[in-house]
Amino acid sequence: MRQTKPLEPLPQRRRRRQPEPLVPRGWIIGGTLLGLGLVVGAVWLLVALLFGGPKVAAPVQQKVAAAPVQWRGPVPGEVAERFVSAGSHEERLQWVRHPDRVGAAMEEFFSNGPGAREKVIRTEALIEVASGGMLFQEFRAELDNGKSRLLCISIDPAGAKVDFGCYAMRGTAVWGDLLSGKLESAEDLRVVIQPGSYYLRGFSDEHSWRHYSLSDHRATALGLPEGVDFYVARNSPAADLLQSASNGSAFRAMISVRSVDGSGQHRQFEITAVKTLGWVEPD
C-alpha cells in the first residue's frame, strides 16, 4: 500500500508594511476642519448678502455731562413774576432788555397807556424760541379783562430780561391812525397773521400777490383789530421769508406796511419788509 506523504503547511505570506503618509495625520485633520470652516463662512456670507446678516449693535457713546450753568440773578420764571408784580417804574426797569432804549416808552405805557388799566392775574410758561441768535422763554400773562399779553424773557445766565416791545406789542404806528388813513405806512407792526386767499381791488391778481390776514381768534385776544388784510409781492424777499414761517397756521411777525392808492381805507395793506419772525426786536 502506497503511503502518501503528509502535506506540508504552506509558507505564510509576509504582509508588506504600508508606507507612512507623506502628510502627517494631524495636518490632514486640520485641513479638513479648515475646509469645513471655509464652507460655513461662505454660507454665512451668502446669507448676509441676501438677508442683511445679523444686526450688530452700534457702539454706545458715552455722554459727557455738561458743566452746570451758573445763573446771575433770577431765572426766567422768577423774572416774569417780578416784572408783572413790580410796583414802580424803577423796579420794573431793572427787569427789561435795553432799559435806556425802552425806559421812556415803558413809563408812558404803565402810567397813561394800557398798562395803567390792566392787571395781570397769572402767568403761564409756554415754549422756548430762538430770535436774533438768542433763546427766549415765552410766558402768557393773563389779564383781568379776559385778554392776554406775551412775555418773552431771554434765557441768559448773565441775567434774564423781559423784551418790553414784545409785551406791549409796541410799534411805530397806532392801528387807529392806519385804518383811518391818517397814516399811510408803518415801519414796525407786531402782528399775528395766517395765509389766506382773499384777492380784491388793487390786490386782485393772485399771481402777483400772496395774501395774509390777521388771525381772527388770536387778534381779539391780543387786542389787535380784526378784518385786516396784507399782501406781499410774490417775487420779493419778504414773501420768501413769510412762506418759510407758514405751515398753514397763524404765526407772529414784525412787518413794515403801506397803503397803496388808498387801500388802507379798505383795511388792505402791502407788506414792504419783514423785520423778524416773532415779536422780539433784533439787537
Side-chain angles (χ1 to χ4, degrees):
M1 188 173 181
R2 188 177 180 182
Q3 293 184 351
T4 60
K5 204 173 190 180
L7 296 175
E8 296 182 1
L10 295 175
Q12 294 184 356
R13 300 177 61 183
R14 298 182 63 184
R15 296 182 61 183
R16 296 181 60 185
R17 187 176 180 181
Q18 297 292 330
E20 292 292 333
L22 297 178
V23 181
R25 182 172 301 175
W27 287 19
I28 296 176
I29 296 175
T32 303
L33 293 177
L34 178 61
L36 289 175
L38 292 175
V39 172
V40 172
V43 172
W44 183 90
L45 180 60
L46 180 60
V47 172
L49 292 175
L50 293 176
F51 302 102
K55 303 299 181 183
V56 180
V60 178
Q61 296 182 354
Q62 294 183 351
K63 293 184 178 180
V64 179
V69 176
Q70 299 295 326
W71 279 89
R72 291 170 53 188
V75 296
E78 296 175 0
V79 171
E81 292 300 325
R82 296 190 185 193
F83 176 80
V84 300
S85 62
S88 67
H89 173 65
E90 290 71 22
E91 185 181 355
R92 194 176 292 112
L93 198 62
Q94 63 182 313
W95 303 118
V96 296
R97 301 175 66 214
H98 313 302
D100 55 337
R101 189 189 305 173
V102 304
M106 187 173 68
E107 186 173 19
E108 174 65 21
F109 178 85
F110 283 101
S111 298
N112 304 309
R117 302 181 294 273
E118 297 172 349
K119 180 181 179 181
V120 178
I121 57 178
R122 80 183 190 99
T123 60
E124 177 187 2
L126 301 177
I127 61 173
E128 294 181 3
V129 296
S131 179
M134 295 183 64
L135 284 176
F136 290 84
Q137 172 69 55
E138 290 187 351
F139 294 84
R140 179 189 295 112
E142 294 188 10
L143 308 177
D144 57 353
N145 59 10
K147 297 181 180 180
S148 64
R149 290 190 176 275
L150 183 67
L151 262 174
C152 279
I153 301 178
S154 59
I155 302 176
D156 185 0
K161 300 293 183 180
V162 173
D163 188 276
F164 170 70
C166 175
Y167 180 79
M169 291 184 291
R170 182 167 168 255
T172 56
V174 178
W175 277 104
D177 292 343
L178 281 171
L179 298 178
S180 67
K182 183 178 179 180
L183 289 179
E184 293 291 320
S185 63
E187 288 299 316
D188 295 312
L189 284 180
R190 286 175 167 86
V191 294
V192 183
I193 56 177
Q194 60 189 3
S197 56
Y198 181 73
Y199 299 93
L200 192 65
R201 301 184 181 91
F203 302 99
S204 60
D205 185 3
E206 61 183 288
H207 298 291
S208 300
W209 301 100
R210 185 173 288 129
H211 172 242
Y212 292 89
S213 65
L214 282 178
S215 172
D216 292 337
H217 65 288
R218 295 179 66 179
T220 304
L222 295 170
L224 297 173
E226 296 183 70
V228 181
D229 298 290
F230 301 98
Y231 298 86
V232 61
R234 286 185 177 269
N235 60 351
S236 67
D240 295 336
L241 189 56
L242 292 176
Q243 188 175 24
S244 71
S246 174
N247 59 357
S249 59
F251 60 95
R252 291 189 293 268
M254 287 181 63
I255 60 176
S256 300
V257 302
R258 68 178 178 183
S259 175
V260 180
D261 297 330
S263 62
Q265 299 179 13
H266 303 289
R267 306 171 79 89
Q268 293 178 303
F269 297 90
E270 178 188 359
I271 297 175
T272 57
V274 177
K275 294 299 184 69
T276 185
L277 297 175
W279 281 4
V280 175
E281 185 175 1
D283 288 330

